[in-house]
Amino acid sequence: MQLYRLGDSGAAVADVQATLAGLGLLAGPHERFDEATDQALREFQQRRGLSVDGLVGAETYRALAAARWSLGDRLLSLATHPYVGDDVAALQERLLELGFDAGRADGVFGGRTEKALRGLQREYGLVPDGTCGPATLRALRQLGRHVTGGRPQVLRETETLHRSGAALPGKVVVIDPGHGGAERGATGHGLEEAAVVEDLAARLEGRLTAVGVRTLLTRGTDRSPTDAERAQFANDAGADLLLSLHVDRASSPHCHGVAAYHFGAGRGTTSTVGEELASLVQREVVARTGLLDCRVHEKTWELLRLTRMPVVRLELGHVTHAGDAARLADPAFRDTVAEAVLVAVQRLYLPPDLDPPTGVMRLPAFL
Ligand SMILES: [Zn+2]
């Protein structure tokens, strides 16, 4: 889709401004995408856990469209073209708080949301029609916010994790090489992100397979699925985890280091298992490679939001930094990273009393 940015004008820009104004982020009339619009948009992106770049691209556009709806604005039910918006996310969060399993508060009214809604309606003596209308809204208001802080979806994820046991054999891990084929990703110092992540994915696949994990790749070299398609693929596969592999770039040649991302919007809807996985991957990679620790962050990127399992997106160093690029070009380094990720996956499933310190575990243990 077309990108909109500072200096642009037209109907789409006016639309963006109207949404920002509706959210109280932008005041007064603006003829074009001016400095104030840019600031308001960045504020919006920051709040939403999007990349703060001042650009209206596909993801920011979708978030803006979602932000136009608040709970009560329209009837919500399961539809061929699912309802998407902040009103749906708000409903899902309320359902989750009340102990009904609406999955993740992803803002998409799907089958699981409907089932949870019917459960609520049944339990509170409403007609269980799966439609969130005036009667349900009244019930939700009356129920108040008695049940908060329990974060049932987080408890459920943790429970699923523990129920699945510490053994790796039989688990399904989807590996997502962020780039490949004709789409080469970030470049710098003679390196291409696609080549690095394809190689890393192959090493990781080998190591996971060696310990009995069933691994699936989101892509071959012939096609480039969207983030939503990758998420769908992992959901359909019933994956236990998804590992998304990227290498970062920066406009400054001085930026370097590794970062890990997991789902979270800073509204208490964070996935703690995803956070735990991201934190383990980050700690193991930093401990074993000595790359600068750019820490773990929450994002609402589609790949993180639309997936039903814990997901980590690793940004392994900066290809635009001479030092990082030299490390990335070294096959032994990539092998160390694959080992670090494998150990992080194993540690995620180990009970706390068996969890080893960071940087020392070797796998497979029986070799
Ligand atoms: Zn990338």
PDB file of all heavy atoms in Angstrom, residues 178-179 183 185-186 193 197 245-249 313-315, ligand 1:
ATOM      1  N   GLY A 178      13.207 -14.462   8.688  1.00  0.00           N
ATOM      2  CA  GLY A 178      12.484 -13.232   8.388  1.00  0.00           C
ATOM      3  C   GLY A 178      12.521 -12.819   6.925  1.00  0.00           C
ATOM      4  O   GLY A 178      11.603 -12.183   6.429  1.00  0.00           O
ATOM      5  N   HIS A 179      13.584 -13.189   6.252  1.00  0.00           N
ATOM      6  CA  HIS A 179      13.750 -12.792   4.847  1.00  0.00           C
ATOM      7  C   HIS A 179      14.356 -13.957   4.077  1.00  0.00           C
ATOM      8  O   HIS A 179      14.941 -14.855   4.663  1.00  0.00           O
ATOM      9  CB  HIS A 179      14.654 -11.572   4.727  1.00  0.00           C
ATOM     10  CG  HIS A 179      14.216 -10.445   5.606  1.00  0.00           C
ATOM     11  ND1 HIS A 179      13.415  -9.429   5.172  1.00  0.00           N
ATOM     12  CD2 HIS A 179      14.429 -10.224   6.933  1.00  0.00           C
ATOM     13  CE1 HIS A 179      13.155  -8.605   6.181  1.00  0.00           C
ATOM     14  NE2 HIS A 179      13.770  -9.067   7.271  1.00  0.00           N
ATOM     15  N   GLU A 183      13.673 -11.494  -1.560  1.00  0.00           N
ATOM     16  CA  GLU A 183      13.552 -10.433  -0.567  1.00  0.00           C
ATOM     17  C   GLU A 183      14.751 -10.538   0.375  1.00  0.00           C
ATOM     18  O   GLU A 183      14.826 -11.451   1.199  1.00  0.00           O
ATOM     19  CB  GLU A 183      12.221 -10.675   0.176  1.00  0.00           C
ATOM     20  CG  GLU A 183      11.619  -9.463   0.786  1.00  0.00           C
ATOM     21  CD  GLU A 183      11.519  -9.616   2.277  1.00  0.00           C
ATOM     22  OE1 GLU A 183      10.987 -10.644   2.746  1.00  0.00           O
ATOM     23  OE2 GLU A 183      12.026  -8.720   2.964  1.00  0.00           O
ATOM     24  N   GLY A 185      16.161  -8.316   2.661  1.00  0.00           N
ATOM     25  CA  GLY A 185      16.210  -7.685   3.981  1.00  0.00           C
ATOM     26  C   GLY A 185      17.290  -6.623   4.085  1.00  0.00           C
ATOM     27  O   GLY A 185      17.673  -6.018   3.082  1.00  0.00           O
ATOM     28  N   ALA A 186      17.809  -6.439   5.283  1.00  0.00           N
ATOM     29  CA  ALA A 186      18.819  -5.403   5.521  1.00  0.00           C
ATOM     30  C   ALA A 186      20.161  -5.812   4.911  1.00  0.00           C
ATOM     31  O   ALA A 186      20.503  -6.991   4.879  1.00  0.00           O
ATOM     32  CB  ALA A 186      18.976  -5.179   7.024  1.00  0.00           C
ATOM     33  N   GLU A 193      20.875  -9.707   5.113  1.00  0.00           N
ATOM     34  CA  GLU A 193      20.110 -10.285   6.219  1.00  0.00           C
ATOM     35  C   GLU A 193      19.550 -11.657   5.840  1.00  0.00           C
ATOM     36  O   GLU A 193      19.609 -12.612   6.632  1.00  0.00           O
ATOM     37  CB  GLU A 193      18.968  -9.343   6.606  1.00  0.00           C
ATOM     38  CG  GLU A 193      18.113  -9.849   7.761  1.00  0.00           C
ATOM     39  CD  GLU A 193      16.971  -8.905   8.103  1.00  0.00           C
ATOM     40  OE1 GLU A 193      16.751  -7.932   7.348  1.00  0.00           O
ATOM     41  OE2 GLU A 193      16.296  -9.144   9.124  1.00  0.00           O
ATOM     42  N   VAL A 197      20.015 -15.079   8.000  1.00  0.00           N
ATOM     43  CA  VAL A 197      18.930 -15.752   8.725  1.00  0.00           C
ATOM     44  C   VAL A 197      18.591 -17.114   8.108  1.00  0.00           C
ATOM     45  O   VAL A 197      18.156 -18.021   8.818  1.00  0.00           O
ATOM     46  CB  VAL A 197      17.665 -14.872   8.884  1.00  0.00           C
ATOM     47  CG1 VAL A 197      17.982 -13.647   9.717  1.00  0.00           C
ATOM     48  CG2 VAL A 197      17.051 -14.490   7.562  1.00  0.00           C
ATOM     49  N   LEU A 245      13.612 -15.001  13.022  1.00  0.00           N
ATOM     50  CA  LEU A 245      15.023 -14.609  12.967  1.00  0.00           C
ATOM     51  C   LEU A 245      15.243 -13.423  12.034  1.00  0.00           C
ATOM     52  O   LEU A 245      14.887 -13.473  10.855  1.00  0.00           O
ATOM     53  CB  LEU A 245      15.866 -15.795  12.490  1.00  0.00           C
ATOM     54  CG  LEU A 245      15.657 -17.102  13.271  1.00  0.00           C
ATOM     55  CD1 LEU A 245      16.426 -18.239  12.591  1.00  0.00           C
ATOM     56  CD2 LEU A 245      16.109 -16.935  14.718  1.00  0.00           C
ATOM     57  N   HIS A 246      15.839 -12.382  12.561  1.00  0.00           N
ATOM     58  CA  HIS A 246      16.141 -11.182  11.774  1.00  0.00           C
ATOM     59  C   HIS A 246      17.510 -10.646  12.169  1.00  0.00           C
ATOM     60  O   HIS A 246      18.048 -10.986  13.219  1.00  0.00           O
ATOM     61  CB  HIS A 246      15.124 -10.069  12.055  1.00  0.00           C
ATOM     62  CG  HIS A 246      13.782 -10.303  11.437  1.00  0.00           C
ATOM     63  ND1 HIS A 246      13.387  -9.703  10.277  1.00  0.00           N
ATOM     64  CD2 HIS A 246      12.759 -11.095  11.826  1.00  0.00           C
ATOM     65  CE1 HIS A 246      12.159 -10.099   9.973  1.00  0.00           C
ATOM     66  NE2 HIS A 246      11.752 -10.950  10.906  1.00  0.00           N
ATOM     67  N   VAL A 247      18.028  -9.778  11.289  1.00  0.00           N
ATOM     68  CA  VAL A 247      19.209  -8.994  11.619  1.00  0.00           C
ATOM     69  C   VAL A 247      18.792  -7.545  11.429  1.00  0.00           C
ATOM     70  O   VAL A 247      18.077  -7.220  10.476  1.00  0.00           O
ATOM     71  CB  VAL A 247      20.389  -9.346  10.684  1.00  0.00           C
ATOM     72  CG1 VAL A 247      21.573  -8.435  10.957  1.00  0.00           C
ATOM     73  CG2 VAL A 247      20.789 -10.810  10.859  1.00  0.00           C
ATOM     74  N   ASP A 248      19.201  -6.682  12.336  1.00  0.00           N
ATOM     75  CA  ASP A 248      18.756  -5.294  12.304  1.00  0.00           C
ATOM     76  C   ASP A 248      19.658  -4.422  11.438  1.00  0.00           C
ATOM     77  O   ASP A 248      20.761  -4.826  11.069  1.00  0.00           O
ATOM     78  CB  ASP A 248      18.713  -4.738  13.738  1.00  0.00           C
ATOM     79  CG  ASP A 248      17.513  -3.825  13.954  1.00  0.00           C
ATOM     80  OD1 ASP A 248      16.941  -3.367  12.945  1.00  0.00           O
ATOM     81  OD2 ASP A 248      17.151  -3.584  15.120  1.00  0.00           O
ATOM     82  N   ARG A 249      19.149  -3.243  11.127  1.00  0.00           N
ATOM     83  CA  ARG A 249      19.959  -2.219  10.457  1.00  0.00           C
ATOM     84  C   ARG A 249      19.685  -0.914  11.174  1.00  0.00           C
ATOM     85  O   ARG A 249      18.705  -0.791  11.910  1.00  0.00           O
ATOM     86  CB  ARG A 249      19.560  -2.096   8.997  1.00  0.00           C
ATOM     87  CG  ARG A 249      18.122  -1.574   8.804  1.00  0.00           C
ATOM     88  CD  ARG A 249      17.960  -0.832   7.511  1.00  0.00           C
ATOM     89  NE  ARG A 249      17.856  -1.694   6.355  1.00  0.00           N
ATOM     90  CZ  ARG A 249      16.727  -2.260   5.894  1.00  0.00           C
ATOM     91  NH1 ARG A 249      15.589  -2.064   6.524  1.00  0.00           N
ATOM     92  NH2 ARG A 249      16.727  -2.995   4.809  1.00  0.00           N
ATOM     93  N   ARG A 313      10.903 -12.672  18.473  1.00  0.00           N
ATOM     94  CA  ARG A 313      11.566 -12.187  17.264  1.00  0.00           C
ATOM     95  C   ARG A 313      12.935 -11.677  17.684  1.00  0.00           C
ATOM     96  O   ARG A 313      13.066 -10.759  18.498  1.00  0.00           O
ATOM     97  CB  ARG A 313      10.763 -11.070  16.612  1.00  0.00           C
ATOM     98  CG  ARG A 313      11.552 -10.390  15.488  1.00  0.00           C
ATOM     99  CD  ARG A 313      10.663  -9.560  14.607  1.00  0.00           C
ATOM    100  NE  ARG A 313      11.438  -8.627  13.807  1.00  0.00           N
ATOM    101  CZ  ARG A 313      10.971  -8.014  12.733  1.00  0.00           C
ATOM    102  NH1 ARG A 313       9.740  -8.242  12.340  1.00  0.00           N
ATOM    103  NH2 ARG A 313      11.717  -7.182  12.059  1.00  0.00           N
ATOM    104  N   LEU A 314      13.954 -12.315  17.128  1.00  0.00           N
ATOM    105  CA  LEU A 314      15.330 -11.961  17.476  1.00  0.00           C
ATOM    106  C   LEU A 314      15.889 -11.043  16.396  1.00  0.00           C
ATOM    107  O   LEU A 314      15.792 -11.347  15.211  1.00  0.00           O
ATOM    108  CB  LEU A 314      16.164 -13.248  17.563  1.00  0.00           C
ATOM    109  CG  LEU A 314      17.623 -13.100  17.976  1.00  0.00           C
ATOM    110  CD1 LEU A 314      17.751 -12.605  19.416  1.00  0.00           C
ATOM    111  CD2 LEU A 314      18.366 -14.424  17.818  1.00  0.00           C
ATOM    112  N   GLU A 315      16.442  -9.919  16.813  1.00  0.00           N
ATOM    113  CA  GLU A 315      17.159  -9.037  15.879  1.00  0.00           C
ATOM    114  C   GLU A 315      18.629  -9.174  16.248  1.00  0.00           C
ATOM    115  O   GLU A 315      19.132  -8.538  17.163  1.00  0.00           O
ATOM    116  CB  GLU A 315      16.678  -7.584  16.020  1.00  0.00           C
ATOM    117  CG  GLU A 315      15.269  -7.340  15.527  1.00  0.00           C
ATOM    118  CD  GLU A 315      15.151  -7.206  13.988  1.00  0.00           C
ATOM    119  OE1 GLU A 315      16.195  -7.186  13.298  1.00  0.00           O
ATOM    120  OE2 GLU A 315      14.001  -7.129  13.511  1.00  0.00           O
TER     121      GLU A 315
HETATM  122 ZN    ZN B   1      14.359  -8.283   9.114  1.00  0.00          ZN
END
